[in-house]
Amino acid sequence: MELKIQNLSKTYSNGVQALNNISLTIPQGMFGLLGPNGAGKSTLMRTIATLQDADKGSISLDGINVLENKQAVRERLGYLPQDFGLYPRINAEVMLDHISQMKGVGKKSERKELVASLLQKVNLFQHRKKGLGTYSGGMRQRFGIAQALVGNPSLIIVDEPTAGLDPSERNRFYNLLSEIGENTIVILSTHIVEDVSTLCSQMAIICGGELMMEGKPHDGIASLEGKIYAKAIQKEELDSYKQDLQVISTKLVEGELNLRIESDTNPGNGFEPVPADLEDVYFSHISKKVDPITL
Ligand code: ADP
């Protein structure tokens, strides 16, 4: 199973080029699409989900032309969009039954079984009679996964699913996602590096509509090994460091700025070599297009 995107471009009518010649091959398993806000992730996700058209390029899912054969893709697709509306007074059980019916699960008894097993899977069975409007952010996202799983999709797209979840809700959600990634293609679009480092065996970074990196997270990290140096500085000193060095990130720790730079040679001057991590990979790539510090 494979999703193949070739030379995909999209410019909106206001002149914003959201996708610029993206080519990407996405295999079975959990794939992380990482990029800052405005990178083009949702545009790419909505195009794959057949909800909008590209100007140029092609997408194929196991040989199916996604852009031309939308119905065939929809039958194989589970989609959790960034913002999905829920009818607040309808309970989870009724809503999932309705979605199953729309997705073609005809028999009532079959639907009953399916709905119960999905609610068990996402740990909402005991809350099945509650109105969706009473759900917490984490419960809503887990419900979103349950509805995406109806119909046994071979392609599942989840767009920015962990934004707004607290740490324990996020952990629960990670556990759930990692369970469903086995026999399907799961594309997880996110601006949160931890989502990808926790879950994904393959990834890509996009920024300004362009593909910046594609591969395995650990290969990305290996490519930066020995090139990352860190130093704590005063905030006022940042600009002068930025002039001379390739600053890839800063973190405020107890009032001091922890500066990380990328360099082929040891810059000295109090910088210490540190192990590279996925955040360095992310910032190293996006800093080629945007200033990661003003993001
Ligand atoms: P991301 O999901 O990575 O935040 P988007 O795909 O939502 O990125 O947006 C990419 C760029 O396209 C942004 O500059 C955004 O403002 C612009 N954009 C997105 N949707 C539209 C639209 N319907 N009309 C015009 N511009 C849009």
Side-chain angles (χ1 to χ4, degrees):
M1 211 186 315
E2 187 177 89
L3 183 77
K4 206 171 169 73
I5 299 163
Q6 278 174 306
N7 307 107
L8 205 69
S9 291
K10 170 75 181 178
T11 302
Y12 286 109
S13 53
N14 60 359
V16 172
Q17 182 163 30
L19 300 175
N20 185 358
N21 208 26
I22 298 269
S23 294
L24 201 53
T25 299
I26 301 182
Q28 195 163 305
M30 190 74 74
F31 187 93
L33 180 73
L34 194 57
N37 287 329
K41 301 183 298 297
S42 291
T43 302
L44 182 57
M45 296 302 98
R46 288 197 304 262
T47 311
I48 299 169
T50 75
L51 297 174
Q52 68 179 64
D53 289 319
D55 302 329
K56 245 184 29 194
S58 65
I59 307 176
S60 76
L61 173 64
D62 271 341
I64 303 169
N65 183 330
V66 172
L67 302 178
E68 286 179 0
N69 213 336
K70 295 186 174 154
Q71 193 49 38
V73 175
R74 287 174 192 162
E75 284 163 15
R76 292 165 175 75
L77 174 73
Y79 181 41
L80 174 55
Q82 201 169 343
D83 303 300
F84 72 110
L86 289 174
Y87 295 95
R89 289 176 206 222
I90 296 184
N91 75 41
E93 193 174 45
V94 170
M95 191 68 210
L96 268 186
D97 182 72
H98 179 64
I99 292 167
S100 311
Q101 204 168 1
M102 285 198 306
K103 283 203 181 173
V105 186
K107 271 201 189 152
K108 199 165 181 199
S109 57
E110 243 177 77
R111 289 204 305 274
K112 197 168 170 28
E113 213 171 290
L114 173 68
V115 166
S117 78
L118 286 171
L119 288 170
Q120 304 271 16
K121 188 173 189 114
V122 301
N123 228 334
L124 286 175
F125 190 74
Q126 70 274 38
H127 304 294
R128 68 192 182 282
K129 304 284 186 200
K130 289 188 189 154
L132 293 169
T134 67
Y135 277 17
S136 70
M139 289 163 82
R140 286 169 64 100
Q141 291 305 69
R142 282 185 277 133
F143 178 80
I145 288 294
Q147 64 80 27
L149 289 175
V150 172
N152 262 331
S154 50
L155 170 63
I156 297 172
I157 295 175
V158 284
D159 197 355
E160 306 253 353
T162 62
L165 299 190
D166 70 35
S168 64
E169 283 182 328
R170 186 171 291 185
N171 261 337
R172 269 182 114 152
F173 194 73
Y174 284 159
N175 286 332
L176 175 61
L177 274 184
S178 70
E179 275 171 31
I180 62 176
E182 282 170 14
N183 304 310
T184 44
I185 301 172
V186 182
I187 308 177
L188 168 69
S189 153
T190 183
H191 62 271
I192 298 169
V193 176
E194 188 199 346
D195 289 353
V196 177
S197 59
T198 309
L199 292 169
C200 300
S201 50
Q202 294 282 334
M203 67 179 288
I205 297 172
I206 66 169
C207 189
E210 284 180 36
L211 182 71
M212 312 301 292
M213 176 265 181
E214 178 186 7
K216 293 185 191 307
H218 65 79
D219 288 343
I221 293 169
S223 73
L224 283 184
E225 219 51 270
K227 296 184 181 176
I228 304 296
Y229 295 87
K231 181 182 179 181
I233 63 161
Q234 299 300 312
K235 271 186 277 184
E236 308 73 61
E237 298 172 307
L238 177 60
D239 280 343
S240 70
Y241 280 98
K242 276 169 87 173
Q243 275 169 15
D244 301 330
L245 296 163
Q246 195 190 342
V247 174
I248 55 171
S249 67
T250 57
K251 239 185 227 144
L252 211 46
V253 182
E254 294 170 3
E256 278 195 324
L257 263 194
N258 198 341
L259 186 69
R260 286 171 88 90
I261 66 150
E262 182 180 344
S263 173
D264 288 332
T265 54
N266 191 331
N269 191 21
F271 277 95
E272 294 286 340
V274 287
D277 60 26
L278 199 60
E279 220 166 75
D280 295 322
V281 176
Y282 176 59
F283 287 124
S284 166
H285 283 284
I286 68 168
S287 67
K288 291 171 190 148
K289 286 198 79 79
V290 292
D291 183 347
I293 294 160
T294 58
L295 272 180

